[in-house]
Amino acid sequence: MWNTVALCSICKPSPNPASLLLPRRLHVTRAFRRTYVGFSSHQVVQTRAGSTLPSRAARSKAKHSQCAQRYPLLDGHVLSVHQHVFEENLKNSEAVIKRYSELLQVVSKGGGENAISRHTQRNKKLFVRERLKLLLDDEPFLELSPLAGLSMPYGDVPAAGCLTGIGKICGIWCLFIANDATVKGGTIYPIGVKKQLRAQEIAMQNRLVSVYLVDSGGAFLPLQSELFPDKLHGGRIFYNEAIMSAMKIPQVAVVCGSCVAGGAYVPTMVEEAVMVDKIGTLFLAGPPLVKAATGEYVSPEDLGGATLHTRISGCSDHFASSEKEAYECVRNIISTLNYEPVPEELVEHDHPLYSSDELLGLAPRDYACTLPVKLVLSRLLDGSRFQEFKADYGTTLVTGFGHVEGHLVGVVANNGELSHDAALKGSHFVQLCSHRVIPILFFQNTAPHAAHPTSISQAEAQASRLKAQASMMAAVACAAVPKITIVIGGCFGGESYAMCGRSFSPNFLFLWPNARVAFVDSRHLSTIPQAGDSDCTDESELKHLKQKLEEESSAFYSSARLWDDGVILPQNTRKVIAQCLQIIEQQKYQVLSPYQYPVMRT
Ligand code: COA
């Protein structure tokens, strides 16, 4: 995490006329550039006369882009011998995408039509997706883990009861966490805590301004023991708020509904909070508890409404007479953060030469249906151009450089089992990217099964492969550059760690809907010794276990449990990657003061 930033001398006023051409914004020290992701200067310089010139960074990016046009072209044609596999994958992709659309449809209705009409008509509140429309700029945003919370052991919790994502406000990429009060009054389930903590982690890792739309009845009481006491339970949200503030990540909240008990800390700990009159209420104990303790009835508005908290308690800073006014107020607050929006892309880039729709035929139905990964890369990289590294060594891993919408990236893509040579190559390449400060894209499709050794020499080969994979894991874990992982096929066993799985903290991790995530593939179950007894031939038990494994391996099962940041369509992958790279890049446009403490409401 990059929270130690020092201002360099060029930020100080200088009589040197050349400094007039320098941006007014933060310049970071070299030390910072080394530890951080390497975006060291701005793309655009604002001159005193107000005109914009391409900055050194933009000019060098343009040069990079020209060089990229000389990278070799990938051949993306699908050979006729591969056609039947392509067709099989396509059929599978269409089926899983249909399922994906159905699930999204369910989730888009929150707690259901009745709950929405109660929320909007009786409670006079806006549905959470309407709120986001008023809050965010009128452009597409990146929703995170929309399928989280489906088919949990405690039932369906659509979108885990809160929407999270990253969208622009006044041109600034901001992370949002917005309770959906149509799902059990916006109460927080264990999966909702996990979703909020993941969103905060993304905000910290990518230094994103965070906006909370709070409309929640607090803890979902029947599951309180899974919500309250542990380190990564509800309290961690408040802990993170303080740490984020100390990291100088601005946080803003709107109280646009109930905000009870622990939930009341969320807006009280942010730097600026807005409360909506007659809709927002904030208290540790509500009217029923007051009545029980004192015998006195007090209305929610009198106990903790917008007037009380903006005029008397000081728990909130801005009074809004309507929701619309509250979101306008947040947009104004964001405009006072002294951030510079990421400039619109100055560098023109080429589109891939092959249609992204064909990715549906390249998304493997299972490992046996995997086609050469360069066919995938040829549909994702600018101009289908790729500067390959070690093309003839360890060929079951493809490594090299390319561009996605003008952003230079290192690519690490499975193209078979992660053999000894492939892992050594991966380790070497990841270190190269780290030294050159280039973000890395991992395309994961790991082999489901490492064959059991049948001879001493095979056992020795496996041991040396293990050593090589361990060094790749170390290189990936320590690479101080942004990492984005896309699971395009299998995510199985240990090889998935070396390919920057969730436990290796990529900035973002997305799955294609055909992806399968499990420690072992159900197809290889019969060859794996079972725990406890050596008799694994009980047919019905094996069948049951296989079925369970198959269900638990689906991309939707994974996404429901927040093992990823969401399922994305193969044909949208390039857009999502480009968006993530832009989001990550925003950090260089921040003004950072050397102040090291959180902002406190005293
Ligand atoms: N735990 C579990 N379920 C809860 C809940 C809680 N803390 N708060 C509300 N619910 C459920 C309700 O039982 C209801 O379920 P149903 O749809 O199956 O009937 C659903 O959420 C909606 O609640 P309802 O009261 O009908 O909606 P509302 O919009 O009028 O009010 C609240 C929402 C959150 C303001 C209100 O329910 C409330 O004040 N709840 C208690 C909050 C509380 O004391 N929390 C303490 C947590 S430590």
Side-chain angles (χ1 to χ4, degrees), residues 85-334:
V85 178
F86 186 91
E87 297 298 333
E88 239 175 274
N89 288 338
L90 186 61
K91 218 158 58 182
N92 179 60
S93 287
E94 283 165 357
V96 286
I97 289 174
K98 183 166 175 281
R99 177 81 188 122
Y100 172 67
S101 311
E102 287 163 2
L103 293 174
L104 276 189
Q105 185 66 19
V106 169
V107 164
S108 69
K109 295 195 184 109
E113 266 146 26
N114 287 345
I116 294 180
S117 70
R118 209 167 53 214
H119 177 84
T120 52
Q121 284 162 25
R122 190 189 72 188
N123 296 350
K124 308 264 182 286
K125 294 192 283 188
L126 293 175
F127 183 45
V128 62
R129 291 188 185 271
E130 296 301 315
R131 288 174 169 166
L132 292 176
K133 272 191 202 151
L134 291 175
L135 177 73
L136 302 174
D137 292 354
D138 189 17
E139 22 182 305
F141 60 88
L142 180 65
E143 185 170 346
L144 298 166
S145 302
L147 304 184
L150 292 180
S151 304
M152 301 308 289
Y154 39 79
D156 271 341
V157 189
C162 66
L163 304 194
T164 62
I166 303 166
K168 282 188 184 170
I169 302 178
C170 302
I172 309 288
W173 287 109
C174 298
L175 180 129
F176 62 80
I177 298 178
N179 299 122
D180 181 354
T182 68
V183 180
K184 289 279 179 195
T187 52
I188 318 284
Y189 285 70
I191 194 69
V193 172
K194 195 170 176 191
K195 191 167 178 184
Q196 294 193 38
L197 292 180
R198 171 61 189 154
Q200 287 181 319
E201 187 185 3
I202 288 176
M204 286 191 259
Q205 206 174 11
N206 302 291
R207 303 194 70 91
L208 291 171
V209 179
S210 301
V211 179
Y212 304 82
L213 304 188
V214 196
D215 185 357
S216 164
F220 181 75
L221 287 172
L223 295 174
Q224 65 81 31
S225 69
E226 294 172 52
L227 286 163
F228 168 62
D230 208 354
K231 181 176 168 184
L232 296 181
H233 283 177
R236 192 73 179 185
I237 297 170
F238 319 133
Y239 172 87
N240 283 346
E241 284 188 72
I243 298 295
M244 285 161 74
S245 183
M247 287 173 70
K248 294 167 221 70
I249 295 173
Q251 295 165 92
V252 181
V254 180
V255 183
C256 46
S258 176
C259 204
V260 194
Y265 292 109
V266 171
T268 314
M269 289 188 72
V270 298
E271 290 161 22
E272 290 192 58
V274 186
M275 265 188 96
V276 187
D277 189 31
K278 310 279 187 310
I279 282 180
T281 51
L282 189 151
F283 27 68
L284 289 173
L289 276 185
V290 174
K291 176 111 175 52
T294 65
E296 187 190 351
Y297 173 75
V298 51
S299 73
E301 191 60 28
D302 288 342
L303 187 64
T307 305
L308 179 118
H309 284 302
T310 51
R311 292 194 189 166
I312 300 169
S313 78
C315 284
S316 183
D317 314 295
H318 304 273
F319 177 96
S321 47
S322 67
E323 286 209 54
K324 192 164 179 288
E325 194 178 307
Y327 306 121
E328 269 307 311
C329 183
V330 173
R331 294 177 62 82
N332 290 344
I333 293 169
I334 300 293

Side-chain angles (χ1 to χ4, degrees), residues 16 24 26 45 95 112 213 230 248 257 359 373 509:
N16 180 353
R24 192 171 52 81
L26 172 83
V45 173
L213 304 188
D230 208 354
K248 294 167 221 70
L359 288 168
V373 78
L509 187 152

Side-chain angles (χ1 to χ4, degrees), residues 361-408:
L362 299 172
R365 192 201 66 185
D366 60 42
Y367 192 71
C369 289
T370 297
L371 294 174
V373 78
K374 285 187 199 166
L375 296 179
V376 172
L377 300 182
S378 67
R379 284 156 179 84
L380 295 176
L381 297 176
D382 290 2
S384 302
R385 291 186 179 274
F386 187 54
Q387 173 64 23
E388 194 167 358
F389 174 75
K390 279 191 167 170
D392 300 323
Y393 178 85
T395 52
T396 53
L397 189 75
V398 169
T399 55
F401 299 98
H403 288 75
V404 178
E405 295 199 1
H407 300 268
L408 176 64

